[in-house]
């Protein structure tokens, strides 16, 4: 379908010869614009998540100018519109608390303004899902512009990966094997440019998922943030979104069941963050595509990890991935595991987009015959401890914990957890299972990234660097280790995790996808009868609304009233 000017949303604001439209035109002229700027042209929103407290997005203020240049080149009118920055580093208690608020902001910003199409600018962990969720719910043509990863870190001749090496060197600092000088050196060398984490953490995972879904220009997710190609890609996004508006290429034609399976497959093959599961489910459901934990696990069982990137891999980072061919090369290696017939934002199929892509380093991007890990990055576990599911990343843990049974050490809060792990006399063995609860969507609040439970100091000093850890929290995608996460239902709402006690035997069986506590149903029922619900986390404000409407991890942690099937579509605003 090809649109005419009269078909555009923005024409409702600017085209009529009436009092209200005269007001719109005069106020546009107040800003120095004229009819030449909007007449006969689509108005393109540039949704920008830049802020002075978002190091991952610090360059997006500049990149917006390149997007504007592209929009102008293609005959559109660009308007830059700021939204929440989702600063992963500085936003407390967790940026996840605000992902859905950001999605609402995006949806309503687009609905309430004279916008015909949108370029979404983000990258750091929660920004990608928030932007895509809001834009998908609105339904306007959109293209996602990924912020890109920062340069490789460096200290004393060693290549550093953001997040991953923080946890590694912090363990060594607590074990006493390095001192403050080395620790300060890592601090100064691990983040050398603007851009997102350059490991395959949540940021790179989510940008790759958007690329694999067909929501970006081909390979856009792999371009390092400081690379000049990133500026050219930004301008190309501006040109392409104007064409998408005229073509009426809306997200429902791109975010289909088939392309969603592609996105999951790409996630698994990259060695993705555990956070991918929550965000994939939420984004898919906003697009009207039902996606369940079991669907993700099934795809994971048949999709090997091909990206040899930390933390699942041992050496390489996103910059290396880009030089090796980037995501188009990885998707080419996946072959018939992808549906290449799906439509993308280019107006071409995925197969057309990646035709001719090559791998230039087959140790960074492995072939199917030589994977990093034989199955996908993530596994979904279920059992009497997690009836609605839990998640683990087998590719990034010590293989000896694939099957394990050990006594629980239970902490009801992060403060209590810190006391335990820093107490060198606390009774434990390497077989113990560290448990943190009341850290889920409601309990955290907001499901913070506390699930990368630090190794106890006593075990570190004995030379141990991994153990089974269990929580209803999330963890950074840059993390690694035998960490079981997203236990659902969470303890705060009375899930089975609320009932276990220190000394209970926890049983983990990754090959059989099971997670259980060795207790009878009768004992669990008795403990449930004695359980007292904790006091609410919030009594007013956004947190109060969050607590009443947030769904559990297995459902994507969206607000229940934002589900596609919750009610009738929201109508266009009246202009009177």
């Amino acid at each position: 379908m090809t649109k005419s000017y009269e078909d555009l949303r923005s024409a409702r604001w600017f085209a009529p010869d009436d009092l209200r439209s005269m007001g719109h035109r005069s106020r546009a002229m107040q800003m120095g614009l004229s009819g030449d700027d909007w007449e006969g042209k689509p108005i393109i929103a540039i949704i920008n998540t830049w802020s002075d407290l978002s190091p991952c997005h610090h360059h997006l203020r500049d990149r917006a100018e390149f997007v504007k240049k592209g929009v102008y080149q293609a005959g559109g009118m660009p308007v830059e519109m700021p939204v929440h920055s989702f600063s992963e580093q500085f936003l407390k208690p967790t940026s996840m608390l605000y992902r859905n608020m950001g999605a609402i902001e995006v949806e309503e910003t687009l609905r309430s303004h004279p916008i015909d199409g949108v370029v979404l600018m983000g990258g750091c962990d929660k920004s990608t899902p928030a932007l895509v969720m809001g834009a998908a719910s609105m339904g306007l043509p959109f293209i996602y512009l990924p912020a890109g990863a920062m340069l490789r870190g460096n200290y004393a001749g060693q290549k550093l990966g953001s997040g991953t090496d923080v946890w590694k060197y912090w363990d060594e600092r607590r074990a006493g094997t390095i001192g403050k000088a080395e620790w300060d050196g890592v601090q100064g060398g691990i983040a050398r440019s603007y851009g997102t984490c350059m490991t395959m953490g949540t940021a790179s995972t989510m940008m790759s998922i958007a690329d694999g879904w067909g929501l970006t220009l081909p390979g856009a997710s792999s371009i390092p943030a400081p690379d000049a190609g990133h500026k050219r890609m930004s301008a190309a996004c501006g040109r392409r979104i104007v064409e998408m508006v005229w073509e009426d290429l809306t997200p429902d034609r791109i975010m289909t069941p088939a392309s969603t399976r592609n996105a999951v497959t790409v996630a698994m093959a990259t060695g993705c963050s555990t956070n991918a599961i929550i965000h994939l489910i939420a984004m898919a459901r906003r697009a009207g595509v039902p996606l369940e934990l079991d669907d993700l696990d099934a795809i994971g069982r048949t999709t090997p990890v091909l990206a040899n990137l930390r933390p699942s891999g041992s050496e390489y980072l996103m910059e290396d991935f880009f030089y090796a061919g980037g995501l188009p090369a990885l998707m080419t290696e996946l072959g018939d595991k992808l549906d290449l017939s799906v439509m993308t934002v280019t107006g071409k199929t995925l197969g057309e987009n990646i035709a001719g892509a090559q791998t230039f380093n087959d140790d960074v991007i492995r072939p199917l015959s030589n994977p990093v890990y034989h199955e996908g990055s993530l596994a979904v576990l279920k059992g009497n401890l997690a009836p609605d599911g839990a998640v683990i990343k087998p590719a990034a843990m010590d293989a000896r914990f694939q099957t394990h049974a050990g006594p629980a050490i239970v902490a009801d809060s992060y403060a209590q957890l810190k006391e335990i792990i820093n107490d060198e006399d606390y009774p434990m063995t390497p077989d113990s299972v560290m448990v943190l609860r009341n850290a889920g969507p409601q309990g955290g609040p907001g499901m913070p990234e506390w699930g990368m439970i630090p190794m106890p100091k006593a075990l570190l000093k004995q030379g141990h660097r991994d153990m089974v850890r269990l929580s209803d929290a999330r963890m950074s995608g840059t993390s690694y280790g035998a960490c079981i996460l997203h236990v659902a239902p969470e303890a705060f709402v009375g899930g089975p995790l609320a009932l276990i006690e220190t000394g209970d035997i926890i049983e983990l069986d990754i090959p059989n996808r099971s997670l259980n506590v060795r207790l009878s149903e009768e004992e669990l029922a008795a403990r449930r009868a004695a359980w007292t619900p904790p006091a609410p986390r919030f009594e007013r404000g956004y947190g109060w609304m969050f607590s009443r409407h947030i769904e559990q991890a297995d459902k994507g942690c969206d607000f229940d009233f934002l589900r596609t099937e919750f009610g009738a579509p929201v109508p266009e605003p009246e202009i009177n």
Side-chain angles (χ1 to χ4, degrees):
M1 174 182 177
T2 301
K3 282 188 171 182
S4 64
Y5 177 64
E6 292 73 20
D7 297 322
L8 298 180
R9 289 183 79 244
S10 60
R12 298 177 60 229
W13 274 258
F14 287 96
D17 183 16
D18 60 19
L19 173 65
R20 187 57 61 208
S21 295
M22 177 271 186
H24 299 151
R25 293 189 294 269
S26 68
R27 291 301 185 175
M29 295 176 74
Q30 179 186 5
M31 296 184 289
L33 300 172
S34 72
D36 291 337
D37 289 297
W38 68 76
E39 288 174 0
K41 299 177 180 180
I43 297 180
I44 304 299
I46 303 169
I47 297 292
N48 198 344
T49 53
W50 171 89
S51 88
D52 271 331
L53 278 178
S54 183
C56 301
H57 298 171
H58 212 60
H59 56 306
L60 295 188
R61 193 180 196 181
D62 170 77
R63 297 302 186 267
E65 296 304 313
F66 284 87
V67 178
K68 290 177 185 177
K69 180 174 74 170
V71 172
Y72 285 130
Q73 289 170 342
M77 174 180 157
V79 290
E80 186 177 354
M81 310 188 80
V83 297
H84 202 295
S85 70
F86 306 99
S87 175
E88 194 69 26
Q89 296 79 14
F90 297 109
L91 199 57
K92 305 301 179 186
T94 169
S95 61
M96 185 63 182
L97 186 65
Y98 300 103
R99 185 200 68 181
N100 297 343
M101 183 176 78
I104 292 173
E105 184 180 17
V106 170
E107 180 179 350
E108 298 305 326
T109 294
L110 297 177
R111 176 172 291 112
S112 58
H113 288 92
I115 303 301
D116 300 304
V118 56
V119 176
L120 306 169
M121 302 178 67
C124 197
D125 296 12
K126 312 310 173 297
S127 65
T128 302
L131 293 167
V132 171
M133 289 162 67
S137 291
M138 181 55 200
L140 294 179
F142 76 81
I143 189 168
Y144 179 70
L145 192 167
M150 69 175 97
L151 297 175
R152 293 177 294 223
N154 180 75
Y155 168 66
Q158 298 297 310
K159 188 187 297 183
L160 297 180
S162 49
T164 302
D165 280 313
V166 171
W167 322 127
K168 170 187 168 183
Y169 281 97
W170 180 236
D171 278 351
E172 298 309 319
R173 178 92 192 276
R174 293 172 66 238
T177 61
I178 66 170
K180 188 175 187 302
E182 293 88 348
W183 180 243
D184 288 347
V186 171
Q187 174 182 292
I190 202 163
R192 297 174 46 239
S193 76
Y194 50 74
T196 67
C197 289
M198 79 302 266
T199 49
M200 185 50 74
T202 306
S204 293
T205 290
M206 297 313 301
M207 291 187 288
S208 298
I209 285 172
D211 201 337
W213 219 325
L215 302 176
T216 76
L217 294 181
S221 64
S222 309
I223 305 173
D227 193 289
H230 195 273
K231 297 179 179 181
R232 293 191 293 272
M233 181 269 292
S234 300
C237 285
R239 291 190 294 271
R240 178 57 195 153
I241 188 59
V242 174
E243 297 169 348
M244 288 177 67
V245 170
W246 292 125
E247 295 165 8
D248 199 27
L249 184 51
T250 48
D252 58 299
R253 295 173 57 192
I254 299 170
M255 300 179 74
T256 63
S259 67
T260 300
R261 288 191 294 272
N262 284 348
V264 175
T265 301
V266 164
M268 295 298 177
T270 59
C272 64
S273 163
T274 49
N275 289 311
I277 284 188
I278 290 175
H279 301 318
L280 272 164
I281 290 173
M283 290 189 293
R285 292 184 177 194
R286 286 295 190 97
V289 178
L291 188 64
E292 306 286 344
L293 279 177
D294 290 344
D295 300 325
L296 290 147
D297 189 66
I299 293 173
R301 283 181 179 270
T302 60
T303 307
V305 176
L306 301 184
N308 189 14
L309 305 178
R310 301 181 194 175
S312 294
S314 59
E315 179 181 354
Y316 300 111
L317 299 167
M318 284 300 293
E319 193 175 341
D320 305 298
F321 185 64
F322 175 61
Y323 300 146
L327 201 71
L330 180 138
M331 289 194 285
T332 298
E333 297 291 351
L334 283 169
D336 61 8
K337 291 184 179 294
L338 297 175
D339 184 338
L340 299 181
S341 69
V342 298
M343 176 60 66
T344 71
V345 294
T346 66
K348 300 176 182 178
T349 66
L350 178 62
E352 291 174 302
N353 285 349
I354 66 173
Q358 298 180 57
T359 298
F360 301 110
N361 185 330
D362 63 6
D363 191 38
V364 178
I365 301 174
R366 300 282 187 87
L368 287 171
S369 60
N370 182 32
V372 176
Y373 186 73
H374 65 285
E375 289 187 355
S377 180
L378 308 179
V380 175
L381 312 171
K382 291 187 177 181
N384 69 355
L385 193 50
D388 292 335
V391 179
I392 195 168
K393 191 171 184 177
M397 58 177 273
D398 192 321
R400 68 192 176 95
F401 293 118
Q402 287 268 333
T403 57
H404 181 78
I409 299 173
V410 180
D412 288 317
S413 68
Y414 203 85
Q416 185 181 9
L417 174 74
K418 287 195 290 187
E419 291 179 4
I420 294 171
I421 63 175
N422 290 324
D423 182 355
E424 296 184 44
D425 297 320
Y426 197 95
M428 67 177 68
T429 74
D431 290 332
S432 298
V433 177
M434 289 297 310
V435 176
L436 171 65
R437 62 187 175 200
N438 299 316
Q442 298 222 32
M447 206 178 182
E449 292 183 344
W450 295 344
M452 173 52 186
I453 298 171
M455 286 289 293
K457 187 179 291 187
L459 295 182
L460 286 172
K461 291 190 172 182
Q462 295 172 23
H464 301 286
R465 294 297 182 268
D466 201 3
M467 70 184 301
V468 176
R469 288 156 278 182
L470 171 67
S471 74
D472 46 14
R474 298 177 302 112
M475 78 175 182
S476 166
T478 65
S479 303
Y480 54 88
C483 298
I484 305 166
L485 310 153
H486 309 181
V487 172
E490 63 178 306
F492 198 82
V493 300
L497 191 62
L499 311 178
I500 65 173
E501 299 173 358
T502 294
D504 290 342
I505 302 300
I506 306 297
E507 298 177 325
L508 167 65
D509 187 339
I510 294 176
N512 290 307
R513 300 298 198 261
S514 68
L515 176 65
N516 291 285
V517 58
R518 199 178 290 170
L519 293 172
S520 67
E521 287 301 314
E522 291 76 15
E523 175 62 21
L524 286 170
R527 293 187 187 184
R528 181 173 300 284
W531 178 73
T532 302
R537 293 294 196 210
F538 299 100
E539 294 188 5
R540 65 170 299 279
Y542 173 73
W544 182 89
M545 182 183 79
F546 179 96
S547 297
R548 278 152 181 75
H549 296 285
I550 192 68
E551 296 184 310
Q552 288 291 296
D554 62 297
K555 295 179 175 60
C557 293
D558 203 355
F559 289 153
D560 54 11
F561 62 86
L562 293 177
R563 292 194 307 254
T564 303
E565 69 276 13
F566 185 82
V570 180
E572 286 284 359
E574 289 189 23
I575 301 177
N576 294 311

